[in-house]
Amino acid sequence: MEDLNIKIKEIFRNFSNDPGNLIPILQKVQKELGYISLPAIEEISCFLKLTESEIYGVASFYSQFRFNPRGRHSITVCLGTACHVRGGSILMEAFERDLEIKTGECTLDKRFDLDGVACLGCCALAPVVKIDNDIYGNMSVIKLKETLEPYE
Amino acid sequence: MNNFDKLITKSKKDWDNLNNSEIPIIYLGTASCGRAAGAEKVKETVLSYLKKHKIQAHFIEVGCIGTCYLEPLMDISAFGNPRISFGNVDPKWAERILEKYLLEKDFFKQKVVGHFGEKPFNDLPSFFDLPMIKPQVRIVLKNCGLIDPENINHYIAQDGYMGLKRALELSQNAVIEEITNSGLRGRGGAGFPTGKKWKICREAKGNIKYMICNADEGDPGAFMNRSLLEGDPHAVLEGLLIAAYAIGASEGYIYIRAEYPLAIHRLNIAIEQMKNAGLLGKNILGSNFSFNIKIKEGAGAFVCGEETALIASIEGKRGMPRTRPPFPVISGLHGKPTTINNVETLGTVPHIIRNGSTWYKQYGVEGNYGTKTFSLVGKVKRTGLIEVPLGTSLKKIIYDIGGGTLKPFKAVQTGGPSGGCIPKELLDTTVTYESLTAAGSIMGSGGLIVMDTDTCVVDVARYFLDFIQKESCGKCTPCRVGTRHMVEILEKICDGQGDVEDLNRLESLAKIVKSASLCGLGQTAPNPVLTTLRYFRNEYIEHIVNKYCPALVCRSLIEFYVVPDNCTGCQRCVSVCPTGAITGPRSEVHNLDTTKCIKCRACLEICRFDAIAGNAIIIRSKEAK
Ligand SMILES: Cc1cc2nc3c(=O)[nH]c(=O)nc-3n(C[C@H](O)[C@H](O)[C@H](O)COP(=O)(O)O)c2cc1C
Ligand code: FES
């Protein structure tokens, strides 16, 4: 708790308390702390003088923001059109089955969290999966296990 | 000589020195698409190879040249030979190519894509004569893949910022007139004349005005804007400055989606370089024009590409569109006159100011002048990013440039979730704003998704509606509720539970959503359904009446099957099946239990790609066996 306060105060130092900074602040909080926690929303509310529901209203509107803790590695499966016609949704199912979680969840051992995305802009190499900052093109169900292996 | 002129002289000299350099130059395409194909590993290999063999060479990372299907691409320029491009270079090949060329001055022909020389070289093809490249006209993409996007001097050596220089010598009205005369129309989708937009904004009352670059590129399956920003960020920034000067803005924003971290990184570098070169801040290039740029990262909402929603998002609010008028050019960001232009529109502007509107108008057709970039993806042989004059036919794009499809062609989807599917019979349709609209689709931002007989159009219609329904901001009922109902009906049909009445229900819902929605998102959402109903009604009927999916995609209507004659009994499929649906001893025909099969495709893929397997697993229709 103390820790969170310090980190958040640190983040606030780079911003003025103009409500227009809400989205960049939420982005920074997510980047530093992994997700938008309830205490974080309380802190932002004090800082920007917005109500907690206003903040939650904005944060929940955008698909980027997470309200649950993340895993050590983040898997993002592209569900865009080019990936869809080359089997993106089947790939997503394979990840869900293999990791025994649903989209938006995190594995019990906190190794992976899983999410879909509308397009990663690598459509020419569809289907595409991103793990942390690494992008994998021309993915397939049978490459799944070996692709995950290096991520401990 | 002032500072900028000195920078020009230096840049040109550096560029000449580089190209006449004694030591080899290695160029590697490390745009996001290159990285997805493994370019980062190739980079490691190249650098450690050079180090190990103590070879002196320039190593330059470039953007995407557009032939994405050949990624990773590595070019080498050495020994006074023209720059040679090698394709599908994995780390192993990178080492072999370097060894052969740098040490033995020889190359593996099978890996050569083409050379960039002006004269013929050996019997290698010229890159610009490749079937994928030859029909293209590259104006916006001119520098992509050829220069270092993180080096402003490279851009300046290609006459970069000469457009801005010329603009600042002209009056603001003269700049607007040049753009108006060029006939340039917005490349973000709607095709509104750019000069006209600028003129209204310039004449709007207000002492503060804003200029925004729309880099939200929310259309899934489209990556033109990403490629341009990663490959030639200064071109877009120069366009942004020219536009800001013309309308009288002193502050600018680039609203870019967070899913494009590399483009954001390169923009940040470019902006720093501009500041150092006196191209941003007070009195740019000694003129009265002062301007600053801020980057705003989007947070993942398709509707934020719509201009009024985008403004709300920059203001820190939920990205909800509002009714227009007033248009942003009159009352936009913080209520001030605001011009919003797409990345590609702005990337085109410097070329027009530099070369003149008459030059630009030699490309394209009446009312649709100039070029347009497209991301050519899906079931086409040569996927990538292309640029063609407006008025080029879809046939030419898909067959001459894209090399056609593997399985027979079925349809091409243009315009993303707001667009439609165009069938074979209409492939002579040219890409202009009007002709695509007449075909029931739209130009959109430039995604071209090619579908073959393995793609189910009903599934694609369901996919788009599902996308829109999830992305609907919820402000207006027709969009929020109407699209929900449409998805439910389409899901029923894909499940084989539809009835013929459903098609009429879909059509009447589509009409309501189209006419009663508040913004472009809802107004265009029914297009994928309407065009597929118009051109592929039979496929819907097959699903409904015969419970048959001709493309063998809809999962409730298909099953997996082992063809006994082809099965070698290698047990590869047995080992990858997650549910134990496939059984059988080694060397005997395997058995697939359809009650246990979850249709995950693992067996199909392993059987197709594994050398010892016999391509024995097929998908067949449940009903019509
Ligand atoms: C739902 C929706 C999404 C849009 N997404 C984008 C987008 O991602 N990029 C873009 O440039 N324009 C997008 N537009 C169009 C913009 O509202 C606007 O017309 C455009 O940015 C203007 O720039 P232009 O005149 O240079 O084309 C979208 C429109 C709608 C209705
Ligand atoms: S559709 Fe998957 S990367 Fe674009």
Side-chain angles (χ1 to χ4, degrees):
Chain A
M1 199 63 217
E2 274 304 299
D3 210 33
L4 178 105
N5 274 335
I6 296 167
K7 276 189 183 152
I8 290 200
K9 294 267 148 61
E10 192 62 38
I11 290 170
F12 289 163
R13 271 210 257 158
N14 299 312
F15 295 94
S16 73
N17 61 358
D18 170 7
N21 282 331
L22 174 56
I23 295 170
I25 288 177
L26 286 167
Q27 284 169 329
K28 189 83 183 158
V29 168
Q30 174 151 310
K31 194 163 170 216
E32 299 297 324
L33 306 170
Y35 70 109
I36 313 289
S37 63
L38 211 60
I41 291 183
E42 284 165 13
E43 290 294 327
I44 299 172
S45 153
C46 292
F47 181 66
L48 293 181
K49 310 218 163 31
L50 293 169
T51 66
E52 285 169 31
S53 65
E54 278 171 316
I55 294 169
Y56 185 76
V58 169
S60 61
F61 181 84
Y62 296 98
S63 66
Q64 185 189 19
F65 298 115
R66 306 267 165 278
F67 302 98
N68 297 318
R70 322 286 323 253
R72 291 194 295 287
H73 304 287
S74 295
I75 304 172
T76 319
V77 181
C78 179
L79 300 173
T81 322
C83 290
H84 178 76
V85 302
R86 292 211 197 170
S89 57
I90 291 172
L91 214 50
M92 177 56 112
E93 267 176 39
F95 276 102
E96 290 183 333
R97 191 170 55 243
D98 196 69
L99 301 172
E100 297 179 357
I101 51 174
K102 290 256 159 276
T103 317
E105 292 177 355
C106 176
T107 54
L108 275 180
D109 61 2
K110 302 264 182 284
R111 185 171 162 210
F112 292 114
D113 58 69
L114 179 67
D115 258 300
V117 67
C119 177
L120 290 164
C122 304
C123 329
L125 293 144
V128 181
V129 172
K130 185 169 146 184
I131 306 178
D132 297 340
N133 289 318
D134 309 326
I135 306 175
Y136 296 88
N138 294 320
M139 268 298 286
S140 79
V141 178
I142 48 175
K143 286 193 209 160
L144 188 149
K145 281 211 163 62
E146 61 173 294
T147 310
L148 290 182
E149 225 168 56
Y151 300 90
E152 259 321 306
Chain B
M1 215 160 46
N2 66 31
N3 284 342
F4 188 64
D5 287 332
K6 276 186 206 150
L7 185 60
I8 297 175
T9 316
K10 180 180 175 327
S11 300
K12 299 233 178 211
K13 206 170 119 212
D14 286 355
W15 181 253
D16 285 341
N17 286 346
L18 175 71
N19 286 305
N20 297 318
S21 117
E22 294 287 315
I23 60 172
I25 315 168
I26 297 160
Y27 303 85
L28 187 67
T30 55
S32 295
C33 44
R35 291 176 187 207
E40 298 268 54
K41 292 216 172 71
V42 177
K43 176 178 163 185
E44 276 168 37
T45 310
V46 171
L47 292 179
S48 73
Y49 182 89
L50 295 175
K51 199 166 162 199
K52 188 168 143 207
H53 293 84
K54 302 204 169 54
I55 299 173
Q56 272 220 359
H58 298 287
F59 177 76
I60 299 177
E61 293 185 45
V62 293
C64 169
I65 199 155
T67 52
C68 303
Y69 76 109
L70 294 169
E71 300 269 20
L73 281 152
M74 178 173 81
D75 302 358
I76 306 179
S77 151
F79 316 118
N81 291 342
R83 173 169 168 180
I84 301 171
S85 183
F86 300 88
N88 294 128
V89 179
D90 61 12
K92 253 197 341 241
W93 268 109
E95 244 191 83
R96 294 176 66 189
I97 291 167
L98 289 173
E99 188 156 289
K100 192 117 177 164
Y101 196 33
L102 298 186
L103 302 183
E104 301 168 28
K105 298 195 184 179
D106 196 4
F107 32 78
F108 293 99
K109 255 216 184 120
Q110 74 266 37
K111 283 284 167 189
V112 173
V113 175
H115 73 83
F116 289 92
E118 274 157 28
K119 289 180 249 136
F121 175 67
N122 284 358
D123 50 351
L124 300 183
S126 155
F127 187 86
F128 299 105
D129 284 340
L130 294 176
M132 183 172 186
I133 306 293
K134 199 165 179 171
Q136 299 190 38
V137 173
R138 296 170 82 90
I139 296 174
V140 183
L141 302 178
K142 183 181 130 222
N143 293 331
C144 284
L146 296 174
I147 65 165
D148 179 352
E150 298 190 7
N151 187 339
I152 191 172
N153 295 8
H154 277 202
Y155 181 66
I156 291 175
Q158 322 300 318
D159 292 330
Y161 290 109
M162 292 311 284
L164 175 68
K165 197 161 180 261
R166 167 140 196 266
L168 293 179
E169 288 157 11
L170 297 172
S171 73
Q172 295 164 303
N173 285 331
V175 172
I176 293 176
E177 206 173 291
E178 190 79 301
I179 295 297
T180 306
N181 289 342
S182 76
L184 177 65
R185 295 169 69 175
R187 300 297 188 233
F192 191 83
T194 307
K196 193 168 162 189
K197 191 186 270 188
W198 292 8
K199 187 161 190 271
I200 303 170
C201 194
R202 161 139 185 78
E203 287 167 358
K205 283 205 180 67
N207 45 3
I208 297 175
K209 289 177 188 172
Y210 295 104
M211 181 65 221
I212 300 177
C213 169
N214 187 345
D216 195 46
E217 193 158 71
D219 179 357
F223 58 92
M224 303 79 46
N225 293 172
R226 170 190 68 71
S227 252
L228 181 59
L229 290 168
E230 287 180 0
D232 197 12
H234 284 288
V236 180
L237 291 164
E238 184 181 357
L240 186 67
L241 256 67
I242 295 172
Y245 169 71
I247 64 163
S250 54
E251 259 187 77
Y253 288 90
I254 300 176
Y255 187 87
I256 181 165
R257 58 200 303 250
E259 289 86 346
Y260 288 174
L262 184 62
I264 295 171
H265 174 69
R266 294 209 164 137
L267 276 172
N268 276 315
I269 293 177
I271 287 173
E272 272 314 301
Q273 293 170 339
M274 288 171 77
K275 284 182 188 156
N276 294 333
L279 291 163
L280 274 183
K282 279 217 154 60
N283 303 102
I284 292 168
L285 300 184
S287 70
N288 289 330
F289 173 53
S290 302
F291 189 63
N292 281 306
I293 299 175
K294 285 195 193 113
I295 293 182
K296 283 273 176 179
E297 283 183 40
F302 174 66
V303 73
C304 286
E306 196 279 339
E307 50 191 25
T308 59
L310 186 151
I311 288 170
S313 179
I314 292 185
E315 290 171 349
K317 304 178 191 146
R318 293 162 68 102
M320 300 260 213
R322 60 160 175 78
T323 41
R324 302 174 307 177
F327 287 91
V329 277
I330 304 292
S331 172
L333 186 60
H334 308 305
K336 311 285 181 203
T338 305
T339 293
I340 300 178
N341 276 126
N342 169 260
V343 168
E344 185 180 341
T345 314
L346 294 175
T348 309
V349 163
H351 296 279
I352 297 173
I353 299 296
R354 222 179 286 157
N355 302 310
S357 53
T358 318
W359 164 83
Y360 189 68
K361 280 177 102 162
Q362 68 180 299
Y363 305 106
V365 291
E366 174 88 49
N368 284 265
Y369 292 110
T371 57
K372 174 85 195 78
T373 61
F374 289 97
S375 65
L376 185 58
V377 298
K379 306 288 188 66
V380 62
K381 282 186 197 155
R382 295 192 281 260
T383 55
L385 178 67
I386 63 160
E387 179 173 358
V388 290
L390 287 167
T392 306
S393 75
L394 287 169
K395 193 183 252 159
K396 189 164 178 180
I397 294 176
I398 294 163
Y399 287 91
D400 297 355
I401 296 177
T405 47
L406 273 178
K407 294 270 180 84
F409 173 89
K410 183 184 274 182
V412 56
Q413 213 279 343
T414 77
S418 318
C421 289
I422 297 173
K424 200 173 175 167
E425 303 79 71
L426 294 182
L427 274 184
D428 285 324
T429 305
T430 56
V431 289
T432 65
Y433 293 94
E434 289 71 25
S435 54
L436 288 172
T437 306
S441 186
I442 59 162
M443 171 81 83
S445 61
L448 285 182
I449 292 144
V450 178
M451 304 172 193
D452 62 9
T453 48
D454 278 352
T455 320
C456 171
V457 291
V458 186
D459 172 69
V460 168
R462 180 197 58 76
Y463 165 82
F464 277 122
L465 254 290
D466 182 56
F467 176 85
I468 289 292
Q469 184 262 319
K470 286 179 182 141
E471 291 292 338
S472 170
C473 76
K475 187 164 171 176
C476 71
T477 322
C479 176
R480 186 185 63 236
V481 182
T483 55
R484 176 73 254 168
H485 279 301
M486 290 178 76
V487 173
E488 277 164 8
I489 296 175
L490 287 162
E491 277 173 350
K492 237 172 74 183
I493 297 175
C494 288
D495 260 354
Q497 309 291 324
D499 63 70
V500 181
E501 245 331 280
D502 280 336
L503 299 186
N504 296 334
R505 275 184 216 122
L506 269 180
E507 262 159 354
S508 65
L509 271 169
K511 284 193 189 111
I512 297 169
V513 175
K514 211 175 160 107
S515 58
S517 290
L518 175 70
C519 84
L521 181 110
Q523 287 156 11
T524 55
N527 284 352
V529 174
L530 288 173
T531 50
T532 47
L533 274 171
R534 178 161 147 199
Y535 300 123
F536 298 95
R537 204 177 187 91
N538 259 342
E539 256 190 75
Y540 282 87
I541 305 275
E542 286 283 5
H543 282 74
I544 293 169
V545 179
N546 299 327
K547 314 290 172 215
Y548 174 57
C549 171
L552 300 175
V553 168
C554 292
R555 302 200 33 210
S556 307
L557 308 179
I558 56 167
E559 64 184 22
F560 284 63
Y561 175 70
V562 180
V563 182
D565 284 351
N566 293 355
C567 180
T568 61
C570 70
Q571 288 191 323
R572 301 285 285 143
C573 56
V574 177
S575 65
V576 295
C577 177
T579 61
I582 309 187
T583 49
R586 185 162 279 284
S587 305
E588 274 176 40
V589 172
H590 298 336
N591 179 50
L592 193 156
D593 180 351
T594 51
T595 60
K596 284 190 191 157
C597 175
I598 54 166
K599 301 166 192 174
C600 74
R601 297 181 82 93
C603 57
L604 184 91
E605 283 174 14
I606 201 107
C607 194
R608 200 176 289 169
F609 297 117
D610 198 275
I612 53 169
N615 202 0
I617 294 176
I618 59 160
I619 302 175
R620 63 179 185 181
S621 170
K622 252 189 191 170
E623 290 296 317
K625 275 182 194 166

